[in-house]
């Protein structure tokens, strides 16, 4: 069959739209692993096969066209169900709701029937019908990506029905309506998925924030124990200072020099307590304000919190700064402290049955990077678990939550756009963090 230039061009544009749709959804699937992307990609692949056969531009058996429609229809169901939002069946508590939902369902059937009669392509009608049901059965749940899709098709079908468009369209001899359907479908899908993608991103960010807070709360019991250890000694010292002042006063030996000395000692203890409280608060403050901050200060705040625990477990801590002590990176300071805290806490737990336990923290830098390494002599991580330790809810500890190292990786890579590496050395595990150096 020989086509004129305009028809050939119309088919060429349709082929292009489908190919772009297939590539776009496949790439989206690779990054998101969302089933609605791959199912839509496969549906459009079968649709491309259908339209190629339908065009009669190539010698393809009609059987192929039927297989293409069947495949596209099956994957259209998978896509629509995975894209569906809300309840599949309405909650009906009285006759009024039953009547309303029955009327709405009949409207869905009638509009879907007209959609098919107009465009004569079953897969797109299936998607339209299922997503239309999603809207009418879940009207109270607010705006959704499916609303864009359904309203777009519904308005188009209504306008074309009122204008008796199909009869006029055929009489004028315009391009095949099937080709028009493919173009409209691509536009509406792109708009809907764009909104859906933004919604998923918001949900993902909320989930990550929830995990971060969950991790902090999971550590709060340990933290309170550490704070108790930190507070006990300074409070005892202040008590002894007050006792000594009282005895001097009772013996009438309290002079100004001695009093100033004891006040200075008490002030130092109070300053230590205040700093400990500030460091503790830093881990639970939901601040997202990014700034240039001192790497040394972020690490020291963790050491202040954990030093009592290290002392209790006889852990020898070595903190080496092989670069400018004022070196800074850009980000949220308490998030780096959270990362360091998680790595040091894991090392602390792993070292409880180790003779002569030690932890080494080393900070170095290159022209562009700040490198923080944390190593211990706890024997390392089993090779079979090395790839799993950064997965959510995977833990080698009986009481572990399995979100600590997952959040470490998430914060380093997402918040700081850095990198984390794990290697087993002869003595134990070594975690290395890479951050972009701040020059401000």
């Amino acid at each position: 069959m020989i086509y004129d230039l305009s028809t050939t061009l119309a088919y060429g544009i349709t082929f292009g739209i489908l190919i772009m749709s297939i590539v776009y959804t496949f790439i989206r699937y690779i990054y998101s692993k969302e089933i609605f992307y791959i199912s839509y990609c496969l549906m459009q692949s079968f649709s491309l096969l259908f339209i190629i056969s339908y065009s009669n531009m190539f010698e393809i058996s009609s059987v192929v066209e039927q297989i293409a429609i069947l495949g596209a229809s099956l994957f259209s169901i998978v896509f629509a169900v995975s894209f569906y939002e809300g309840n599949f069946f309405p909650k009906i508590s009285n006759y009024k709701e039953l009547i309303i939902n029955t009327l709405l369902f009949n409207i869905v059937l009638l509009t879907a029937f007209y959609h098919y009669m107009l465009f004569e392509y079953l897969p797109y009608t299936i998607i339209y019908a299922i997503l239309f049901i999603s809207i009418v059965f879940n009207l109270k749940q607010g705006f959704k990506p499916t609303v864009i899709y359904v309203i777009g098709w519904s308005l188009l079908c209504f306008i074309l029905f009122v204008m008796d468009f199909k009869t006029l369209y055929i009489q004028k001899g315009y391009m095949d309506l099937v080709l028009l359907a493919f173009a409209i479908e691509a536009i509406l899908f792109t708009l809907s998925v764009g909104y859906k993608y933004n919604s998923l991103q918001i949900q993902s960010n909320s989930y990550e924030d929830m995990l971060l807070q969950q991790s902090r709360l999971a550590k709060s019991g340990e933290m309170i124990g550490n704070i108790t250890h930190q507070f006990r000694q300074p409070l005892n010292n202040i008590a002894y200072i007050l006792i000594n002042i009282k005895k001097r006063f009772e013996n009438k030996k309290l002079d100004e020099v001695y009093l100033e000395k004891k006040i200075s000692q008490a002030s130092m203890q109070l300053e230590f307590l205040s700093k400990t409280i500030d460091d503790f608060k830093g881990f639970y403050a939901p601040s997202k304000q990014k700034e240039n901050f001192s790497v040394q200060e972020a690490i020291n705040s963790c050491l202040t919190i954990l030093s009592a625990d290290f002392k209790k477990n006889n852990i020898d801590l070595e903190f080496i700064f092989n670069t400018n002590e004022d070196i800074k990176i850009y980000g949220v300071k308490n998030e780096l402290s959270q990362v360091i805290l998680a790595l040091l806490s894991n090392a602390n737990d792993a070292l409880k049955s180790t003779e002569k336990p030690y932890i080494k923290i080393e900070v170095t830098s290159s022209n562009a990077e700040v490198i923080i390494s944390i190593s211990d002599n706890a024997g390392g991580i089993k090779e079979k678990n090395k790839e799993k330790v950064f997965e959510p809810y995977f833990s080698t500890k009986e009481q572990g939550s399995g979100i600590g190292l997952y959040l470490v990786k998430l914060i380093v890579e997402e918040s700081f756009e850095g990198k984390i590496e794990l290697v087993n050395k002869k003595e134990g595990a070594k975690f290395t963090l890479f951050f972009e150096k701040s020059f401000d």
Side-chain angles (χ1 to χ4, degrees):
M1 182 181 295
I2 300 175
Y3 289 104
D4 58 33
L5 181 60
S6 61
T7 303
T8 304
L9 183 61
Y11 274 107
I13 292 172
T14 304
F15 295 159
I17 288 171
L18 285 170
I19 291 169
M20 286 190 292
S21 176
I22 291 165
V23 172
Y24 169 79
T25 48
F26 183 71
I27 292 173
R28 282 291 194 191
Y29 172 73
I30 291 174
Y31 284 98
S32 69
K33 302 302 180 185
E34 293 287 344
I35 191 171
F36 68 82
Y37 280 124
I38 192 63
S39 56
Y40 193 87
C41 175
L42 292 170
M43 183 201 73
Q44 290 293 63
S45 297
F46 278 106
S47 295
L48 178 60
L49 180 60
F50 165 79
I51 204 68
I52 290 173
S53 175
Y54 178 84
S55 69
N56 291 321
M57 290 182 175
F58 307 92
E59 293 184 6
I60 300 176
S61 170
S62 59
V63 175
V64 173
E65 185 176 315
Q66 298 305 312
I67 293 173
I69 288 183
L70 177 61
S73 299
L74 291 174
F75 282 110
S76 70
I77 295 172
V78 176
F79 164 73
V81 171
S82 60
F83 202 75
Y84 193 104
E85 296 175 286
N87 299 313
F88 278 92
F89 301 99
K91 294 180 180 179
I92 299 173
S93 55
N94 52 57
Y95 285 109
K96 180 181 177 181
E97 290 183 355
L98 176 62
I99 293 170
I100 291 172
N101 281 291
T102 301
L103 289 172
L104 290 173
F105 185 67
N106 282 319
I107 290 171
V108 171
L109 292 179
L110 288 172
T111 52
F113 176 75
Y114 182 71
H115 182 284
Y116 179 73
M117 295 301 295
L118 183 65
F119 297 109
E120 298 180 4
Y121 190 63
L122 183 61
Y124 292 168
T125 301
I126 290 173
I127 296 173
Y128 171 66
I130 294 176
L131 296 186
F132 201 162
I133 290 173
S134 169
I135 297 301
V136 299
F137 284 174
N138 300 279
L139 288 172
K140 297 179 181 179
Q141 294 188 17
F143 189 83
K144 298 184 179 72
T146 50
V147 173
I148 301 172
Y149 193 96
V150 170
I151 289 179
W153 273 121
S154 298
L155 286 174
L156 183 66
C157 288
F158 178 76
I159 293 169
L160 299 184
F161 175 75
V162 171
M163 295 174 58
D164 193 17
F165 180 79
K166 187 170 183 178
T167 303
L168 179 64
Y169 194 92
I170 294 172
Q171 288 176 352
K172 293 290 185 180
Y174 295 133
M175 72 174 185
D176 199 318
L177 272 173
V178 173
L179 301 183
L180 184 63
F182 278 87
I184 295 169
E185 168 67 22
I187 293 169
L188 292 176
F189 170 77
T190 302
L191 292 172
S192 301
V193 168
Y195 187 88
K196 178 88 168 182
Y197 180 76
N198 291 335
S199 300
L200 290 173
Q201 284 292 98
I202 293 170
Q203 290 175 16
S204 176
N205 291 337
S206 299
Y207 175 71
E208 289 167 5
D209 289 342
M210 180 196 70
L211 281 180
L212 185 59
Q213 191 62 20
Q214 182 181 343
S215 175
R216 289 170 175 165
L217 292 174
K219 289 289 181 184
S220 62
E222 299 173 28
M223 286 290 206
I224 291 170
N226 289 328
I227 294 296
T228 302
H229 286 299
Q230 295 282 29
F231 273 29
R232 185 172 287 117
Q233 189 60 47
L235 289 172
N236 286 338
N237 291 340
I238 291 172
Y240 285 128
I241 289 169
L242 292 173
I243 290 171
N244 289 333
I245 291 173
K246 182 181 179 183
K247 284 184 178 180
R248 284 268 184 157
F249 178 77
E250 289 174 347
N251 295 328
K252 298 182 179 181
K253 294 181 180 180
L254 183 63
D255 55 37
E256 185 177 348
V257 174
Y258 184 82
L259 183 60
E260 288 291 338
K261 177 184 174 182
K262 290 301 176 183
I263 289 175
S264 176
Q265 290 176 352
S267 295
M268 289 177 61
Q269 299 300 319
L270 291 171
E271 185 178 339
F272 175 81
L273 291 173
S274 177
K275 183 178 184 304
T276 303
I277 291 171
D278 288 340
D279 290 337
F280 181 71
K281 283 169 61 181
F283 292 108
Y284 297 92
S287 171
K288 284 291 182 181
Q289 183 65 42
K290 290 194 173 186
E291 59 184 354
N292 294 312
F293 64 87
S294 167
V295 172
Q296 189 175 44
E297 287 180 7
I299 296 175
N300 280 335
S301 66
C302 297
L303 298 182
T304 301
I305 297 295
L306 292 173
S307 59
D309 219 22
F310 289 161
K311 186 175 181 180
K312 181 179 70 175
N313 294 328
N314 298 313
I315 293 174
D316 181 20
L317 177 68
E318 186 179 11
F319 185 15
I320 304 172
F321 227 88
N322 290 327
T323 186
N324 179 4
E325 292 189 356
D326 294 327
I327 198 164
K328 296 180 179 180
I329 62 175
Y330 181 75
V332 181
K333 181 180 177 180
N334 67 353
E335 287 189 344
L336 178 61
S337 296
Q338 179 76 16
V339 167
I340 302 298
L341 179 74
L343 295 176
L344 291 177
S345 296
N346 281 354
N348 178 60
D349 292 339
L351 288 166
K352 287 182 178 177
S353 59
T354 302
E355 290 186 16
K356 297 181 179 179
Y358 78 82
I359 295 174
K360 180 180 179 182
I361 305 171
E362 189 170 9
V363 180
T364 59
S365 67
S366 64
N367 291 333
E369 288 183 316
V370 175
I371 304 162
I372 305 171
S373 66
I374 298 175
S375 54
D376 58 52
N377 64 336
I381 296 171
K382 293 180 181 179
E383 288 297 322
K384 67 177 182 179
N385 292 332
K386 277 180 62 178
E387 297 298 323
K388 298 178 182 178
V389 293
F390 293 112
E391 295 177 2
Y393 303 110
F394 175 82
S395 178
T396 57
K397 296 181 286 188
E398 289 184 6
Q399 302 298 323
S401 64
I403 60 176
L405 288 179
Y406 166 70
L407 284 172
V408 164
K409 184 178 175 68
L410 191 70
I411 292 170
V412 170
E413 294 182 349
E414 298 292 331
S415 183
F416 289 95
E417 297 182 1
K419 185 174 66 171
I420 182 168
E421 291 181 354
L422 165 61
V423 295
N424 278 326
K425 297 292 186 179
K426 183 179 179 181
E427 300 85 2
K430 180 179 180 180
F431 289 87
T432 306
L433 313 173
F434 300 85
F435 302 100
E436 184 179 349
K437 183 192 294 184
S438 175
F439 295 96
D440 187 8

